[in-house]
Amino acid sequence: LVGVYSYLYPLSTNIRAIAQEKEQRVKQGMFIMGLLPMSLYVAWLITCVVSALVTALLITIEMKLTYTQYVDFALLLVINALFAGTTVGFAFMASTLFSK
């Protein structure tokens, strides 16, 4: 439960950042200056994935040191990284609900 709650802060931060970019119309300005749309989306994806993977690593270390001592570290990291990937997808999906 603590691990799931640990993903809420990075998730809300990513959603807020994407919504603020929409509100300030930064994306349209960058497109006018010649940025390709795929470059912008890949940049957001990399930013969100790195944030989620750092969170997954910290949660895995915390889990390994406390209550899952006999579980392999790599297995815990893979499970947490997969969950982090779903939170990134959810952040992108939830950011479409905000228009201004």
Side-chain angles (χ1 to χ4, degrees), residues 81-94:
L82 289 174
F83 186 74
T86 62
T87 61
V88 169
F90 180 75
F92 283 142
M93 185 274 308

Side-chain angles (χ1 to χ4, degrees), residues 6 9 35-36 40-41 43 55 60 68 79 84 93 96:
S6 300
Y9 179 73
L35 181 71
L36 296 174
L40 179 69
Y41 300 134
T55 304
T60 303
T68 56
I79 291 170
M93 185 274 308
T96 61

Side-chain angles (χ1 to χ4, degrees), residues 55-92:
T55 304
L57 180 65
L58 293 174
I59 291 171
T60 303
I61 291 170
E62 184 265 333
M63 288 174 70
K64 185 66 176 170
L65 293 176
T66 57
Y67 53 88
T68 56
Q69 298 170 354
Y70 301 111
V71 181
D72 187 34
F73 183 80
L75 179 64
L76 284 175
L77 185 61
V78 166
I79 291 170
N80 283 320
L82 289 174
F83 186 74
T86 62
T87 61
V88 169
F90 180 75
F92 283 142

Side-chain angles (χ1 to χ4, degrees), residues 8 11 13 21-23 26 33 40 47-49 53 60 62 65-67 70 75 77 79 89 91 96 99:
L8 289 180
L11 177 70
T13 303
E21 180 184 327
K22 285 182 181 181
E23 180 181 330
V26 174
M33 288 187 273
L40 179 69
T47 303
C48 292
V49 166
L53 287 179
T60 303
E62 184 265 333
L65 293 176
T66 57
Y67 53 88
Y70 301 111
L75 179 64
L77 185 61
I79 291 170
T96 61
S99 62

